[in-house]
Amino acid sequence: MAELALTPAVAWALATGGPWPDPAELTGDDHFMALALQEGLKGVGLASPNPPVGCVLVREGRVLGAGVHTRAGDPHGEIMALRDAEARGLDPRGATAYVTLEPCCHQGRTGPCTQALLQAGLARVVVGVRDPNPRVDGGGLAILRAQGLEVDEGVLGEACARFHAPFFKLIRTGLPWVALKLALGSDGSLGPAGQTTQVTPPEVQHLAHALRRASEAILVGRGTISVDDPQLTDRWPGPSAPHRAFARVVLDPQGRLPATARVWTPVAGQPAFRAVTGDRVPLRGVEDLSLPPEGQGCSLRHLLHELAAQGVGRLLVEGGGSLVQAFLNQGLADEFHRFQADRPAGGSPLDLAFRGNWYRVAAARWPGGVWEVWR
């Protein structure tokens, strides 16, 4: 597998499940579905618990409109693409819709997209992957076909399934997608115990914030707060929609962290949560998630269910080695982002045991190290 050069675009692609197909390298249906995926990327970190469905409308090789779902309760990607075409003064009748996920066919907080596509007079719908939601699951495709539209599915199906994997997991298990992140030296260490060690340079740390922007919550353990005293805020440089919420979650079962920790400082749109066992002395402006005890800490599975109830579809675990290892041991992680420096960090190497069929799917190099993605 070739290693990419680490750039902001590559960082965003890796953070959202990529690398993604390049529309410029594709033709026909594949080209336009790749464009729909590019639209969908604009909704990552914004649409949860809904999927960030991307859509483009095309007639005779010309894109008439494009759209993406960016907020639960707001119009879906298909509707946004139709509105975009209307705003351009273009009639979508007879056009083809390329949609990353099967159009919905039920009345929820918004109307069914199948009906909107039929009313718009489209001739064809091309779908990347079926929606496993029991309220859809092939029903949207069946309705479109029954009304005489030409329907094709499975175009860039692997990429679309990978893009919507967090939503699929939430639908099937009730749990958010869990991405792990660690920065290690060439010796497999985080650095000497009890002290802050900068394994990656500032410019790489800056790009790694793509992982936070792609998530709805970040989780660390008490040890990370005690040693580094971070704020855990989303600092990706691109603008964010006003409705975006990014939860900062700290595992502190005994409630030992002081109220002066920087993570508890109020940040607009980025609420702080403390995962505890039992009743603890409350902290001003911090919401406690009371969880069953497990070993010396909290039940991680219960924590995931609590976060899903808060609308978290993607969780980034940035905690220390023991927390990452716990997620791996319990089979609760979906992907692992390992930042591996070319120089040693100087501490004891971590024993990160992967259970199951994990494999390296992507890598991006910077001068002095590599960002590896394992799934």
Side-chain angles (χ1 to χ4, degrees):
M1 177 185 57
E3 291 182 348
L4 305 168
L6 184 55
T7 65
V10 168
W12 181 243
L14 297 184
T16 54
W20 302 111
D22 183 353
E25 297 179 354
L26 301 170
T27 59
D29 288 346
D30 288 352
H31 169 77
F32 294 114
M33 186 60 75
L35 290 179
L37 275 168
Q38 294 297 317
E39 283 296 311
L41 288 171
K42 300 174 184 178
V44 175
L46 299 174
S48 188
N50 290 352
V53 177
C55 175
V56 295
L57 305 176
V58 179
R59 186 174 55 230
E60 297 177 350
R62 178 188 180 188
V63 175
L64 307 180
V68 58
H69 182 52
T70 58
R71 185 178 186 177
D74 282 0
H76 293 179
E78 299 93 321
I79 309 302
M80 297 302 292
L82 290 170
R83 290 183 177 180
D84 184 39
E86 181 182 6
R88 300 186 193 189
L90 300 174
D91 188 344
R93 282 180 294 181
T96 296
Y98 292 85
V99 193
T100 59
L101 185 68
E102 176 183 7
C104 65
C105 54
H106 61 280
Q107 177 68 48
R109 296 170 68 179
T110 61
C113 291
T114 49
Q115 188 62 31
L117 294 174
L118 291 170
Q119 290 177 346
L122 270 70
R124 182 175 178 237
V125 176
V126 180
V127 172
V129 65
R130 288 197 182 199
D131 186 345
N133 186 336
R135 302 180 72 184
V136 186
D137 196 14
L141 302 180
I143 289 172
L144 295 172
R145 287 187 174 115
Q147 294 299 315
L149 272 70
E150 180 184 350
V151 176
D152 293 290
E153 59 179 305
V155 174
L156 295 188
E158 184 278 331
C160 290
R162 179 160 33 93
F163 178 63
H164 290 300
F167 171 68
F168 292 175
K169 181 187 179 185
L170 189 64
I171 285 291
R172 289 165 174 157
T173 70
L175 299 175
W177 184 264
V178 177
L180 311 177
K181 172 185 173 287
L182 281 180
L184 304 170
S186 59
D187 52 3
S189 165
L190 294 169
Q195 72 179 54
T196 300
T197 302
Q198 299 296 334
V199 176
T200 55
E203 59 270 21
V204 174
Q205 297 171 25
H206 180 76
L207 292 177
H209 271 273
L211 288 164
R212 296 189 183 184
R213 175 55 59 89
S215 307
E216 285 90 37
I218 184 173
L219 172 67
V220 302
R222 183 173 65 87
T224 296
I225 302 298
S226 298
V227 173
D228 297 335
D229 195 24
Q231 280 190 300
L232 300 180
T233 50
D234 170 16
R235 297 195 296 277
W236 184 247
S240 179
H243 72 271
R244 170 166 161 79
F246 181 67
R248 298 172 292 152
V249 187
V250 180
L251 276 173
D252 186 19
Q254 308 304 318
R256 293 174 180 170
L257 286 172
T260 54
R262 295 175 70 219
V263 71
W264 308 136
T265 303
V267 177
Q270 302 185 50
F273 294 86
R274 183 177 63 164
V276 297
T277 57
D279 295 328
R280 306 297 174 189
V281 176
L283 294 176
R284 185 183 182 90
V286 178
E287 182 175 342
D288 279 351
L289 302 174
S290 185
L291 305 171
E294 186 175 87
Q296 300 299 311
C298 302
S299 167
L300 296 180
R301 185 173 292 275
H302 280 80
L303 173 60
L304 294 180
H305 280 291
E306 287 287 339
L307 293 176
Q310 297 282 342
V312 173
R314 290 174 180 253
L315 171 67
L316 174 64
V317 179
E318 264 197 27
S322 59
L323 182 57
V324 167
Q325 187 67 72
F327 272 91
L328 289 173
N329 287 342
Q330 296 180 39
L332 295 175
D334 299 289
E335 63 183 28
F336 179 32
H337 295 263
R338 182 167 68 189
F339 291 77
Q340 188 88 46
D342 293 340
R343 59 180 178 81
S348 300
L350 297 180
D351 180 19
L352 296 174
F354 292 97
R355 294 189 176 185
N357 298 319
W358 286 76
Y359 56 97
R360 193 175 82 150
V361 297
R365 176 160 286 281
W366 75 88
V370 62
W371 174 351
E372 298 180 335
V373 183
W374 293 71
R375 296 192 188 99

